[in-house]
C-alpha cells in the first residue's frame, strides 16, 4: 500500500509544530532581541495557518487511504441473489412467529 507510505512523512512533518513553537519561545526568552508584539502575533497567526493546512492535507490523505481499504474489502462481499433474499425473509418471518 504505497499511499500509506505517503501518509507517514505527512504525520512526521506535523511534529515540526513542536520545533517551531520552541523557536518562538527561545526568541522571546533568549533571543538577541525580543520580538515586538506585532511580530509575535504575525508569527503565531502564520504558524496556526500553516499547520491548519498541513493537518487538512494529512487528513485528506488518510481519508483517501481509508476509502481504498473499504473499497478493497467490500469487493470481497458478493451481493445476495434474489432467491436467497426470499428464503432469508421467509426464515425470519417463521422465526418471529415461533
Amino acid at each position: 500500500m504505497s499511499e500509506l507510505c505517503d501518509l507517514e512523512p505527512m504525520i512526521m512533518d506535523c511534529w515540526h509544530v513542536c520545533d517551531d513553537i520552541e523557536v518562538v519561545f527561545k526568541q522571546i526568552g533568549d533571543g538577541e532581541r525580543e520580538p515586538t508584539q506585532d511580530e509575535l502575533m504575525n508569527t503565531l497567526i502564520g504558524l496556526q495557518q500553516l499547520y491548519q493546512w498541513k493537518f487538512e492535507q494529512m487528513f485528506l490523505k488518510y481519508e483517501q487511504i481509508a476509502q481504498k481499504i473499504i473499497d478493497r474489502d467490500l469487493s470481497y462481499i458478493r451481493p445476495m441473489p434474489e432467491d436467497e433474499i426470499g428464503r432469508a425473509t421467509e426464515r425470519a418471518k417463521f422465526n418471529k412467529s415461533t
Side-chain angles (χ1 to χ4, degrees), residues 80 84-97:
M80 186 181 284
E84 287 184 38
I85 293 172
R87 287 192 299 264
T89 303
E90 290 302 316
R91 279 193 301 267
K93 286 180 185 175
F94 176 77
N95 290 336
K96 281 186 179 181
S97 66

Side-chain angles (χ1 to χ4, degrees), residues 9-24 43-59:
M10 295 174 85
I11 293 170
M12 298 309 293
D13 191 41
C14 286
W15 280 107
H16 288 288
V17 69
C18 298
D19 299 330
D20 294 339
I21 292 170
E22 183 178 7
V23 169
V24 173
T43 301
L44 294 175
I45 290 168
L47 281 172
Q48 187 269 338
Q49 185 61 61
L50 174 66
Y51 282 94
Q52 180 69 34
W53 290 334
K54 284 185 177 191
F55 283 114
E56 284 174 6
Q57 292 169 12
M58 181 177 58
F59 193 74

Side-chain angles (χ1 to χ4, degrees), residues 55-72:
F55 283 114
E56 284 174 6
Q57 292 169 12
M58 181 177 58
F59 193 74
L60 176 64
K61 179 58 74 177
Y62 164 78
E63 286 180 323
Q64 291 169 348
I65 293 169
Q67 189 60 53
K68 282 188 177 188
I69 291 169
I70 290 168
D71 292 344
R72 184 195 67 211

Side-chain angles (χ1 to χ4, degrees), residues 73-84:
D73 289 347
L74 290 179
S75 70
Y76 294 111
I77 300 173
R78 65 173 177 81
M80 186 181 284
E82 288 295 321
D83 60 326
E84 287 184 38

